[in-house]
PDB file of all heavy atoms in Angstrom:
ATOM      1  N   GLY S 133    -252.911  75.519  19.392  1.00 90.00           N
ATOM      2  CA  GLY S 133    -253.195  75.201  20.788  1.00 90.00           C
ATOM      3  C   GLY S 133    -251.971  74.787  21.585  1.00 90.00           C
ATOM      4  O   GLY S 133    -252.052  74.645  22.812  1.00 90.00           O
ATOM      5  N   LEU S 247    -242.730  65.926   8.788  1.00 92.00           N
ATOM      6  CA  LEU S 247    -242.281  64.597   8.376  1.00 92.00           C
ATOM      7  C   LEU S 247    -241.143  64.766   7.385  1.00 92.00           C
ATOM      8  O   LEU S 247    -241.227  65.577   6.463  1.00 92.00           O
ATOM      9  CB  LEU S 247    -243.432  63.817   7.725  1.00 92.00           C
ATOM     10  CG  LEU S 247    -244.638  63.522   8.635  1.00 92.00           C
ATOM     11  CD1 LEU S 247    -245.823  63.058   7.806  1.00 92.00           C
ATOM     12  CD2 LEU S 247    -244.274  62.487   9.674  1.00 92.00           C
ATOM     13  N   VAL S 314    -242.930  26.171  33.609  1.00 98.00           N
ATOM     14  CA  VAL S 314    -242.101  27.237  34.184  1.00 98.00           C
ATOM     15  C   VAL S 314    -242.828  27.849  35.372  1.00 98.00           C
ATOM     16  O   VAL S 314    -243.969  28.328  35.236  1.00 98.00           O
ATOM     17  CB  VAL S 314    -241.788  28.332  33.154  1.00 98.00           C
ATOM     18  CG1 VAL S 314    -240.986  29.468  33.808  1.00 98.00           C
ATOM     19  CG2 VAL S 314    -241.014  27.763  31.974  1.00 98.00           C
ATOM     20  N   ARG S 347    -245.507  42.759  28.218  1.00 94.00           N
ATOM     21  CA  ARG S 347    -244.269  42.247  27.661  1.00 94.00           C
ATOM     22  C   ARG S 347    -244.268  40.739  27.897  1.00 94.00           C
ATOM     23  O   ARG S 347    -244.915  40.246  28.819  1.00 94.00           O
ATOM     24  CB  ARG S 347    -243.043  42.876  28.327  1.00 94.00           C
ATOM     25  CG  ARG S 347    -243.017  44.401  28.251  1.00 94.00           C
ATOM     26  CD  ARG S 347    -242.679  44.875  26.858  1.00 94.00           C
ATOM     27  NE  ARG S 347    -242.590  46.328  26.781  1.00 94.00           N
ATOM     28  CZ  ARG S 347    -243.375  47.084  26.043  1.00 94.00           C
ATOM     29  NH1 ARG S 347    -244.353  46.523  25.327  1.00 94.00           N
ATOM     30  NH2 ARG S 347    -243.223  48.382  26.006  1.00 94.00           N
ATOM     31  N   VAL S 589    -220.913  41.415  30.080  1.00 58.00           N
ATOM     32  CA  VAL S 589    -222.193  40.935  29.582  1.00 58.00           C
ATOM     33  C   VAL S 589    -222.054  40.647  28.094  1.00 58.00           C
ATOM     34  O   VAL S 589    -221.280  41.284  27.403  1.00 58.00           O
ATOM     35  CB  VAL S 589    -223.319  41.950  29.822  1.00 58.00           C
ATOM     36  CG1 VAL S 589    -223.589  42.112  31.295  1.00 58.00           C
ATOM     37  CG2 VAL S 589    -222.975  43.307  29.210  1.00 58.00           C
ATOM     38  N   LYS S 642    -199.959  45.261   6.366  1.00 98.00           N
ATOM     39  CA  LYS S 642    -199.118  45.066   5.191  1.00 98.00           C
ATOM     40  C   LYS S 642    -199.165  43.607   4.750  1.00 98.00           C
ATOM     41  O   LYS S 642    -199.316  42.699   5.560  1.00 98.00           O
ATOM     42  CB  LYS S 642    -197.685  45.503   5.466  1.00 98.00           C
ATOM     43  CG  LYS S 642    -197.032  44.853   6.672  1.00 98.00           C
ATOM     44  CD  LYS S 642    -195.650  45.441   6.926  1.00 98.00           C
ATOM     45  CE  LYS S 642    -194.995  44.786   8.140  1.00 98.00           C
ATOM     46  NZ  LYS S 642    -193.634  45.296   8.374  1.00 98.00           N
ATOM     47  N   LYS S 698    -226.492  45.807  -9.337  1.00 80.00           N
ATOM     48  CA  LYS S 698    -226.166  47.066  -8.672  1.00 80.00           C
ATOM     49  C   LYS S 698    -224.667  47.295  -8.649  1.00 80.00           C
ATOM     50  O   LYS S 698    -223.876  46.374  -8.668  1.00 80.00           O
ATOM     51  CB  LYS S 698    -226.698  47.050  -7.236  1.00 80.00           C
ATOM     52  CG  LYS S 698    -228.192  47.149  -7.106  1.00 80.00           C
ATOM     53  CD  LYS S 698    -228.658  46.823  -5.714  1.00 80.00           C
ATOM     54  CE  LYS S 698    -227.969  47.619  -4.640  1.00 80.00           C
ATOM     55  NZ  LYS S 698    -228.497  47.303  -3.293  1.00 80.00           N
ATOM     56  N   ASN S 771    -219.114  67.497   1.557  1.00 94.00           N
ATOM     57  CA  ASN S 771    -218.605  68.650   2.290  1.00 94.00           C
ATOM     58  C   ASN S 771    -217.080  68.628   2.190  1.00 94.00           C
ATOM     59  O   ASN S 771    -216.455  67.684   2.679  1.00 94.00           O
ATOM     60  CB  ASN S 771    -219.034  68.601   3.758  1.00 94.00           C
ATOM     61  CG  ASN S 771    -218.547  69.798   4.544  1.00 94.00           C
ATOM     62  OD1 ASN S 771    -218.380  70.881   3.989  1.00 94.00           O
ATOM     63  ND2 ASN S 771    -218.300  69.609   5.828  1.00 94.00           N
TER      64      ASN S 771
END
Side-chain angles (χ1 to χ4, degrees):
L247 297 166
V314 177
R347 303 286 183 243
V589 294
K642 55 185 180 178
K698 289 167 53 178
N771 181 29

